[in-house]
Amino acid sequence: MTDSIQIFVPLTLRKKNGRPKILPPADAHLGHDAVQEPHVLRAIGRAWSWRRRLEAGEFETAKDLAAHLKMDRRSVSRQLRLAYLAPDVLKRLVYMRNTPALTLREMMDINENLWAKQESLVFAEDRV
């Protein structure tokens, strides 16, 4: 048995102007800064998609996945880190649409911190 946590957030995917748009549940209480930059949501969605493909055995390694995607292995590995952010961070980013204080690139490195510390780092709650 693996030590993994699954988060189920009921989201709706709808196309707007030919592009997919992630919509929160109708009863969601969005944060006051609920204008999330779409590239953050796309990157998280892509990372989870890649993670599921790896866990399903479709690819043995991130290197194999990167070769299939015709992308640099390092870039794929860095982006995959977004699928391992703390559940509370993911909930605030995806469900509540809180805007992070960090860039997407900085968030890719944030998973090196304990889950308990990630939320305050991503949303700058202990910065002055």
Side-chain angles (χ1 to χ4, degrees), residues 59 61-73 76:
F59 301 99
T61 65
K63 182 179 179 180
D64 296 338
L65 174 64
H68 173 77
L69 298 169
K70 297 182 173 114
M71 293 178 65
D72 178 65
R73 181 204 52 82
V76 169

Side-chain angles (χ1 to χ4, degrees), residues 21 29 78 118 126:
K21 180 174 177 145
H29 300 290
R78 284 180 55 81
Q118 283 184 12
D126 51 344

Side-chain angles (χ1 to χ4, degrees), residues 44-78:
I44 291 170
R46 185 173 44 248
W48 272 92
S49 171
W50 294 349
R51 178 181 172 175
R52 282 191 300 268
R53 293 175 81 178
L54 285 166
E55 288 174 351
E58 188 175 338
F59 301 99
E60 287 188 37
T61 65
K63 182 179 179 180
D64 296 338
L65 174 64
H68 173 77
L69 298 169
K70 297 182 173 114
M71 293 178 65
D72 178 65
R73 181 204 52 82
R74 186 169 183 255
S75 177
V76 169
S77 293
R78 284 180 55 81

Side-chain angles (χ1 to χ4, degrees), residues 13-30:
L13 185 63
R14 183 183 76 179
K15 286 198 173 191
K16 182 175 181 181
N17 298 327
R19 293 184 166 192
K21 180 174 177 145
I22 299 173
L23 302 173
D27 62 346
H29 300 290
L30 300 177

Side-chain angles (χ1 to χ4, degrees), residues 77-101:
S77 293
R78 284 180 55 81
Q79 290 182 51
L80 268 169
R81 294 176 187 171
L82 294 171
Y84 297 92
L85 288 171
D88 290 339
V89 171
L90 289 169
K91 180 180 177 185
R92 286 183 63 178
L93 289 170
V94 176
Y95 187 74
M96 298 170 67
R97 303 287 176 98
N98 292 142
T99 303

